[in-house]
Amino acid sequence: MKDTLLNNINSDDIHVASFLSHVVSNSHINSTYSHTLTVIGQAVTPYLLHSVLKKLHNVFTPLSAAFHHLHKQMGDDVIEIRGVLNNAELEHVKPLLSDVSQAYNLDIGLQAYRPSLSEPGLLVMDMDSTVIAIECVDEIAKLAGVGEQVAEVTAKAMRGEIAFNDSLTHRVACLEGVSISHLNQIRDSIPIMPGIQSLLTYLKQHNWKLAIASGGFTFFADHLKARLGLDFAISNTLAVEKGRLTGKVEGEIVNADVKARTVKALAEKWEVPAKQTVAMGDGANDLVMMAQSALGVACHGKPLVNEKADVAIRVGSLHSLLYFLDK
């Protein structure tokens, strides 16, 4: 297939997105395949699709190309390519996928298995820099005048350079004396990530359960649970006395292991098969729950997370997660 993709298209038309339908079908041919390559972008052209396959030709042999059932429905071109992985481990292919994604500004995922929208499922999401476009602890720290100090520790923790419990304890200690009114100010202007509402609405329509498991704070996670209509939220509780933060966390810290336990516990509670579980996040603290799930999705993640996750959203909005699911 990869050698004939552009054969029937005039050289002037290979850069025209409307000609993509000349090389991509509405349904797949019947053939045995091992993996699905998903290519996602804006105005994808025959040239771009051909270039992706050319870059991957040493590790992936395409057999058929068809439009994803959500192609154009949310504003994106989405192509599924069924094929066979050639003498390579998927883990070893991921750096190549990252390079190809960067080269053509496309989101690309290669999966041996995809959870299905035809069955109920479970999506567990990180909050900070995933559901919302900020790290709440950093925003509180800015208002407290210790922004740079706390942001540096946050960055190291997200890259996996510092144990999460230690980093959280240190950062929260810096917030001692901050007024609750500051938290209200952040909550009222909280920037929700593009695509989250489309993602959640579509999954709800297909009987999926939705949750937040966050190393952030209940003040914001509980607000988002109500605002977005989620089924569950777990996060850290900031201790408060006389309307001000004490600089301590109450109860067990929600770290990577607690997040992973949450995925398993919620799946059991709602009787969701393990093969129908998805976890999404951006930091090293999310990798354990991703490993616990059938599909781990990096969302504009740190390099380590993009490398370890099953698939990565590098370019598009959060609703792009839907394109990595089967019908």
Side-chain angles (χ1 to χ4, degrees), residues 35-48:
H35 289 74
T36 301
L37 178 73
T38 306
V39 179
I40 308 159
Q42 297 286 301
V44 178
T45 64
Y47 169 81
L48 288 173

Side-chain angles (χ1 to χ4, degrees), residues 260-274:
R261 289 205 318 257
T262 298
V263 173
K264 184 176 181 180
L266 292 180
E268 291 175 352
K269 175 183 177 180
W270 290 319
E271 298 182 340
V272 175

Side-chain angles (χ1 to χ4, degrees), residues 76-305:
D76 305 295
D77 289 335
V78 192
I79 305 98
E80 295 177 347
I81 301 158
R82 292 178 177 176
V84 178
L85 200 61
N86 303 325
N87 301 317
E89 295 292 333
L90 193 51
E91 292 300 314
H92 299 154
V93 177
K94 288 179 181 177
L96 177 58
L97 294 176
S98 177
D99 292 342
V100 174
S101 175
Q102 184 175 5
Y104 302 110
N105 200 40
L106 300 168
D107 278 324
I108 300 169
L110 185 60
Q111 298 167 265
Y113 170 78
R114 298 188 297 172
S116 173
L117 285 165
S118 65
E119 301 177 42
L122 168 66
L123 171 62
V124 179
M125 304 169 287
D126 176 43
M127 178 176 68
D128 294 43
S129 298
T130 300
V131 173
I132 57 177
I134 57 172
E135 293 286 335
C136 290
V137 66
D138 292 351
E139 299 304 310
I140 301 170
K142 289 176 187 177
L143 295 176
V146 290
E148 290 186 10
Q149 177 184 345
V150 169
E152 182 179 350
V153 178
T154 298
K156 289 182 178 179
M158 293 302 99
R159 293 193 300 264
E161 297 172 5
I162 303 176
F164 182 81
N165 285 29
D166 293 340
S167 73
L168 183 70
T169 301
H170 174 78
R171 288 177 289 167
V172 171
C174 296
L175 307 181
E176 183 179 0
V178 171
S179 171
I180 289 295
S181 64
H182 286 171
L183 275 65
N184 289 331
Q185 181 180 335
I186 295 166
R187 178 202 65 197
D188 292 347
S189 63
I190 205 161
I192 295 177
M193 283 286 200
I196 187 68
Q197 191 165 14
S198 298
L199 170 65
L200 301 180
T201 298
Y202 199 86
L203 290 177
K204 286 179 187 178
Q205 291 171 350
H206 289 76
N207 300 312
W208 279 53
K209 294 290 188 179
L210 309 170
I212 281 176
S214 172
F217 308 123
T218 53
F219 189 90
F220 306 103
D222 291 349
H223 165 73
L224 289 166
K225 176 179 178 290
R227 182 173 174 180
L228 298 174
L230 306 180
D231 299 290
F232 181 83
I234 185 172
S235 55
N236 294 300
T237 302
L238 293 169
V240 179
E241 287 184 5
K242 298 180 180 179
R244 294 186 178 274
L245 302 183
T246 68
K248 295 181 180 179
V249 177
E250 293 182 346
E252 181 183 25
I253 289 177
V254 178
N255 57 21
D257 292 332
V258 173
K259 288 186 175 188
R261 289 205 318 257
T262 298
V263 173
K264 184 176 181 180
L266 292 180
E268 291 175 352
K269 175 183 177 180
W270 290 319
E271 298 182 340
V272 175
K275 66 185 180 69
Q276 285 291 105
T277 56
V278 180
M280 177 170 65
D282 73 299
N285 193 42
D286 301 312
L287 288 173
V288 184
M289 75 169 178
M290 288 184 187
Q292 175 68 45
S293 305
L295 177 63
V297 182
C299 175
H300 299 283
K302 311 301 182 288
L304 173 68
V305 183

